[in-house]
Amino acid sequence: MNEQELIKGCIRLERSAQKSLYDTFSPKMYALCCRYVKDPMDAEDVLVTAFTKILKRIEQYRCEGSLEGWIKRAVINECLTFLRKKKNMFMTTDIQEADREMYTQKNYDPLLVKELFNMIEELPPGYRIVFNMYAIDGYAHKEIAEQLNISENTSKSQLSRARVYLQKLLAQRELSTQRIQHDTTTR
Amino acid sequence: MTPQPDKLFREALEDFNRPAPASAWNRIETGLDRKKSNGLWWKIAAGILLLIAASFIFWPHDTILPAVALNHQDENKSTENTKLPITSSAEVPVVSAVPAKHVEFIPNKKIKRNSPVTITGIEVEENNHQVVSNEKENEVSVPTSVEPVENIVEPDEIVADASVSVLADDDETDVTQGRNMKYTSQEVNTRFMKKVIPAEATHEKKSASGVKKVIDVAFGFKNNDSLLGDLRQLKNEYLTINFPDKKRDPTK
């Protein structure tokens, strides 16, 4: 079933088409929810709410852009709504430029994706949301500021702090990796 | 600021998949089914509310009966009016002040002197207090004025304030120019008399004002200001003619 047939079936409220749409996009969307919301149970709640709305309003999709992009934006909006309700979007209003304690570029060993995913989850809420929206999901600072009701400067500062935090985590991971390699060679 | 972390995480996590819990789809399915039924119930509830509102708007309300309105109208009129219901056997000298517009009663000049005149009720003008006496029968007739009268009022118009004047039972008055309407005492009471429902022990109050009225009438009698003054005069003339020896008090 191609994408157009899938959409038509969902508009006709065919349960098989709706299930097929869900099966196609739910793994990626659930991972996205976990990136934003962190707690797996909360992520499931957000996923359920988001897909219920998507399947109800599928006729609003106007074929402007990909279906995946349309669904992705809907899920991200639902994540942000959830976080607003939980008041879990603490943002510093510090507009000072983040300190430039940046780690120099290095050739990192190939890392497991799951470790990177876990690093994202370790970020504080404000850093995590802005980093996800900007670095992974491609939002501009202006859009982020509108969505989160913050200034663009705050969005930029949050992003900077997120990057610093992740680089520290990466550095720790690298150090630990090197230690492991050293231990194995000395045995 | 190095963009590397951004690129690294984007390339690693952009297409990262994680299987959703099995219960998620069941919950979605339930939500889709619930949405349908919710809408239907809302529509039913809205329809019922509309029905209730429409019935409330278009349901006929009780209307005030004319009699009740009449009574209210009577009560709202001048409190100077005190009216006693006409009874079949009571001698009821009743005076009620009536606005000039209502009635002007002119005694019928053609009343036969030999015939007993029974008059009940009072028809009053502002300046003239005219008197009534017994009513022998329940039936009462109400003449309108015969002579040129400035204010001729239909009996219905008198209703609010005036009491009713009555012709003699066997009247032979000339009513060619006027109209006689006959009412029973009950009709007169309901139509023309102000309904006053006395509280307990208010008879004295009532009678106080009635007494006062009577006194006024009596003075009127004495001073020959009323209709009976003419009658008295006629009586005196009669007695003088027939019984010349006896002396009489002209005021009696």
Side-chain angles (χ1 to χ4, degrees):
Chain A
M1 195 182 286
N2 63 16
E3 201 170 274
Q4 290 301 319
E5 289 174 2
L6 210 60
I7 292 167
K8 288 177 184 176
C10 291
I11 291 171
R12 289 193 296 264
L13 303 178
E14 293 174 4
R15 192 49 53 88
S16 60
Q18 292 173 333
K19 182 70 165 57
S20 179
L21 185 85
Y22 170 79
D23 290 338
T24 304
F25 294 105
S26 67
K28 190 176 282 186
M29 297 306 130
Y30 181 64
L32 185 149
C33 292
C34 291
R35 276 196 282 122
Y36 279 85
V37 177
K38 189 175 177 181
D39 184 61
M41 293 184 71
D42 291 338
E44 182 185 345
D45 293 339
V46 173
L47 184 76
V48 167
T49 308
F51 264 93
T52 305
K53 289 183 181 177
I54 287 166
L55 292 172
K56 260 185 77 67
R57 300 171 189 175
I58 191 71
E59 67 274 6
Q60 295 179 9
Y61 173 62
R62 291 285 180 261
C63 298
E64 298 169 356
S66 67
L67 178 61
E68 181 179 330
W70 184 76
I71 291 173
K72 188 178 179 181
R73 288 189 88 93
V75 174
I76 290 172
N77 287 338
E78 199 58 40
C79 290
L80 298 177
T81 302
F82 175 83
L83 290 168
R84 274 189 220 104
K85 285 180 184 175
K86 286 192 81 174
K87 297 181 181 178
N88 204 17
M89 294 169 66
F90 175 74
M91 302 278 181
T92 60
T93 54
D94 186 4
I95 60 172
Q96 290 179 353
E97 195 174 348
D99 60 296
R100 292 185 169 277
E101 187 182 345
M102 293 292 179
Y103 289 87
T104 56
Q105 186 174 352
K106 286 185 178 178
N107 294 323
Y108 294 106
D109 291 334
L111 297 172
L112 294 172
V113 171
K114 192 165 188 240
E115 286 194 29
L116 291 175
F117 188 89
N118 291 336
M119 287 181 191
I120 294 288
E121 287 187 334
E122 285 184 38
L123 285 171
Y127 299 174
R128 183 171 72 246
I129 293 165
V130 174
F131 186 83
N132 273 320
M133 291 180 79
Y134 183 87
I136 302 175
D137 297 317
Y139 282 77
H141 281 296
K142 187 180 177 185
E143 288 178 289
I144 293 170
E146 288 172 358
Q147 286 278 357
L148 303 183
N149 199 26
I150 57 175
S151 66
E152 285 190 44
N153 284 339
T154 303
S155 175
K156 291 174 183 174
S157 70
Q158 294 290 316
L159 177 66
S160 294
R161 292 172 187 271
R163 285 171 176 162
V164 169
Y165 198 100
L166 286 171
Q167 292 220 347
K168 284 181 180 177
L169 293 176
L170 284 168
Q172 288 174 3
R173 175 66 181 83
E174 185 183 348
L175 288 171
S176 64
T177 304
Q178 287 174 354
R179 191 178 298 117
I180 291 169
Q181 285 177 350
H182 177 73
D183 289 341
T184 54
T185 54
T186 53
R187 284 180 188 173
Chain B
M1 184 180 296
T2 174
Q4 266 198 338
D6 295 4
K7 186 179 176 185
L8 175 65
F9 282 91
R10 183 171 60 249
E11 287 173 356
L13 299 176
E14 196 174 23
D15 295 322
F16 179 67
N17 290 340
R18 184 178 263 192
S23 59
W25 171 247
N26 296 333
R27 292 170 62 188
I28 292 167
E29 219 172 357
T30 307
L32 291 172
D33 294 335
R34 195 189 315 125
K35 294 288 182 185
K36 289 178 195 173
S37 60
N38 274 350
L40 180 64
W41 282 115
W42 279 116
K43 287 175 186 174
I44 292 170
I48 291 170
L49 277 174
L50 275 172
L51 199 64
I52 292 169
S55 64
F56 180 76
I57 291 168
F58 294 113
W59 196 264
H61 297 286
D62 292 333
T63 56
I64 299 172
L65 298 175
V68 174
L70 181 65
N71 289 336
H72 284 298
Q73 191 179 4
D74 288 341
E75 289 169 3
N76 291 334
K77 292 295 181 177
S78 168
T79 56
E80 291 181 3
N81 295 340
T82 57
K83 298 183 179 135
L84 299 176
I86 297 172
T87 59
S88 58
S89 59
E91 182 176 19
V92 183
V94 178
V95 178
S96 62
V98 175
K101 64 179 181 180
H102 281 283
V103 69
E104 181 179 339
F105 179 76
I106 297 179
N108 196 315
K109 294 180 181 177
K110 295 188 179 179
I111 296 175
K112 284 190 176 178
R113 296 183 181 184
N114 291 329
S115 63
V117 177
T118 60
I119 328 174
T120 60
I122 292 178
E123 194 163 31
V124 178
E125 194 182 11
E126 277 182 353
N127 298 323
N128 280 334
H129 294 283
Q130 298 184 352
V131 182
V132 285
S133 59
N134 299 345
E135 175 195 19
K136 280 196 173 177
E137 296 181 0
N138 291 333
E139 206 168 33
V140 163
S141 62
V142 179
T144 54
S145 59
V146 176
E147 296 299 326
V149 175
E150 292 179 357
N151 301 320
I152 300 176
V153 181
E154 294 295 333
D156 286 342
E157 294 182 32
I158 304 173
V159 165
D161 296 319
S163 57
V164 177
S165 67
V166 177
L167 279 181
D169 298 334
D170 55 349
D171 75 285
E172 298 178 18
T173 57
D174 182 7
V175 293
T176 54
Q177 294 187 11
R179 272 187 290 169
N180 277 337
M181 296 189 197
K182 294 189 177 180
Y183 298 91
T184 62
S185 61
Q186 286 179 350
E187 285 175 345
V188 171
N189 287 338
T190 56
R191 292 188 71 178
F192 302 116
M193 290 299 180
K194 175 180 175 182
K195 286 191 187 291
V196 177
I197 302 173
E200 288 185 3
T202 55
H203 183 69
E204 291 177 358
K205 273 189 194 176
K206 198 174 175 181
S207 63
S209 61
V211 165
K212 189 178 177 184
K213 298 285 185 182
V214 167
I215 292 169
D216 291 337
V217 169
F219 276 113
F221 291 171
K222 195 165 188 178
N223 299 329
N224 291 331
D225 289 334
S226 63
L227 171 63
L228 283 182
D230 293 334
L231 294 174
R232 188 185 301 112
Q233 189 174 358
L234 292 173
K235 182 203 77 177
N236 291 333
E237 289 174 4
Y238 172 79
L239 292 174
T240 304
I241 294 168
N242 294 304
F243 304 95
D245 297 333
K246 291 187 177 179
K247 291 184 181 178
R248 290 169 194 84
D249 184 359
T251 62
K252 290 185 179 177

